[in-house]
Amino acid sequence: MAVTETAPGEAMAGHTPVEEPSTARSAHEGILRRQSARESAARTYARALPIVPVRARGLTIEGADGRRYLDCLSGAGTLALGHNHPVVLEAIRKVLDSGAPLHVLDLATPVKDAFITELFRTLPPGLADHARVQFCSPAGTDAVEAAFKLVRAATGRNGMLAFAGAYHGMTAGALEASGDAFDVRVARLPYPQDYRCPFGVGGPHGAELAARWTESVLDDPKSGVPLPAGMILEPVQGEGGVLPAPDAWMRRMRRITADRSIPLIADEVQTGVGRTGAFWAVEHSGITPDVMVLSKAIGGSLPLSVVVYRDDLDVWEPGAHAGTFRGNQLAMAAGTATMAYVRENGLTERAATLGARMLDQLRGLSREFSVIGDVRGRGLMIGMEMAEGEGEGDGWGVAGPGGANGPDETGRSGQSTGPYEAGGPGGSDEDRGAAGLLGSVGLRSAGGEGGVMPGSIPHPRPASSELAVAVQRECLRRGLIVELGGRHASVVRLLPPLTITDEQATAVLDRLADAVAAVARGHGSGAGRQQQRRRRSEGTG
């Protein structure tokens, strides 16, 4: 039976206030002052979220000052079941009460055996029957490092392929494959997106161009990119701005890598365990990667990371990748409970349904407030990009690809089912070639037959980190915790737990809408689009 979480306004179990508000406030401010004075300048979340959590349950956090917040950060996506879910606490207590060792290096234990069994039960079918698992140091970035070492050892090659906007961690090798790298030793490829398409086309056509670029880099002997050891990609770029990869493009990447014997690494650190509306985000496209990098939610709120890969890649010597804390028994128990709960209670389907509903409501909000440039996401991984200005240059032109003006039923701005999408009028992408691409995109002559007419190229407005920060600040004032991301830190991100109730989702969206309205009023553009539509209808605009 599903365990529901505390709804907004309900008291947390066992909580009896013992401090006067003034005393609590003083303690809260003192802790924040000491943090600022003693902790590293590298701290991040603490700067934007000056709160001191002391209790938490489900979606709700209570601060030392007595204020309550709805937490749509969820430990950067770690808390699939929210804070202190009963099944997670029970699993942890069971290990603690059993007298089992908590530190075992990489020795076999019943707790580890149960974790691996549950993990393998959830894996994509093509991988589960031929998989090996490597436990890494607790952070996901170490699993990325391990994946790179693995494919390099298996192929005898050294280079890696990654995508613009990627985020894979903060250690040296992971940073080299991420979007903020300074010393680039990993080849970068374009990641498809609609609102800010690198080719100025967007939709299925932009995805096709990105795929063709990848093929060209790999097949051109003068591209400067030798055959790599592997390709790493995120099925949804999280830190890159909540950009879901088109399913057909994912299948194309799988085919491109398979045809050239390049191991494909799927980074599911943030997208895994039901977050996107499938247990693993690669399942939306039906592909089976060679390697999967997993962390965050698989530890059930505690530190854990693993690499799962095809058994024929298992060429490591003993100790080739190790870590003192790779045997975290409490995290394995919590992770087993979390994965089983998500699987048994249909939380992936719940994430898909509720996420689609929340996206639809946010798109309605974007039509009301011009400070919102784009809304996108998959499942309960949702992003709202803030943008400067208003007017005709926003998004797709009058006749963008597929004839869409703004988001369509697929949930991707300006994108409709077209020749590149499976089931589109041009058939499956497996059967299409370059000639079909050129005809559909219209690159032969701008404005000529088959060409893209002036005004149909998307001209998204400048991203605004200032507006995003303002929305985050206004959300916090209203008791809502949200994250920022994207290329310019201009995307307001929602990562609520998969256990969020309908009532809580409504409360989240209401508070977010209030925050956007407050920022729009201060920006002088709260109802800009409505005013424009009214002027056009009256013939004065």
Side-chain angles (χ1 to χ4, degrees), residues 490-517:
S490 61
V491 179
V492 178
R493 302 183 58 200
L494 298 178
L495 292 165
L498 309 188
T499 51
I500 184 173
T501 66
D502 288 344
E503 179 189 3
Q504 290 172 330
T506 298
V508 166
L509 294 179
D510 285 347
R511 296 183 193 191
L512 180 57
D514 286 347
V516 170

Side-chain angles (χ1 to χ4, degrees), residues 205 419 432-445 448-452:
H205 306 312
R432 297 189 64 249
L437 162 70
L438 294 176
S440 63
V441 177
L443 297 181
R444 292 172 296 185
S445 59
E449 182 181 354
V452 178

Side-chain angles (χ1 to χ4, degrees), residues 354-432:
L354 181 58
R357 191 186 314 156
M358 293 176 73
L359 278 169
D360 184 61
Q361 293 181 52
L362 287 174
R363 290 191 180 109
L365 191 68
S366 74
R367 290 188 287 272
E368 183 177 355
F369 296 106
S370 62
V371 292
I372 302 174
D374 191 36
V375 173
R376 52 189 180 256
R378 197 158 207 174
L380 290 175
M381 193 170 181
I382 297 170
M384 181 178 71
E385 183 167 347
M386 310 305 294
E388 291 284 358
E390 17 178 301
E392 299 293 342
D394 182 24
W396 294 102
V398 176
N405 184 17
D408 72 344
E409 69 279 2
T410 68
R412 293 189 290 270
S413 299
Q415 183 168 330
S416 60
T417 302
Y420 185 65
E421 288 292 321
S428 68
D429 57 296
E430 286 85 352
D431 299 327
R432 297 189 64 249

Side-chain angles (χ1 to χ4, degrees), residues 4-25:
T4 58
E5 57 174 288
T6 307
E10 291 183 13
M12 295 186 188
H15 173 218
T16 302
V18 296
E19 292 183 297
E20 293 296 327
S22 60
T23 303
R25 186 70 191 176

Side-chain angles (χ1 to χ4, degrees), residues 19 21 23-25 27-28 31 51-54 62-67:
E19 292 183 297
T23 303
R25 186 70 191 176
H28 162 89
I31 291 171
I51 62 177
V52 180
V54 293
E62 183 175 325
D65 59 354
R67 290 197 66 197

Side-chain angles (χ1 to χ4, degrees), residues 274-296:
R275 170 62 55 189
T276 67
F279 206 97
W280 306 108
V282 293
E283 295 180 79
H284 291 292
S285 60
I287 72 165
T288 301
D290 303 297
V291 183
M292 291 176 64
V293 178
L294 315 176
S295 188
K296 292 191 184 292

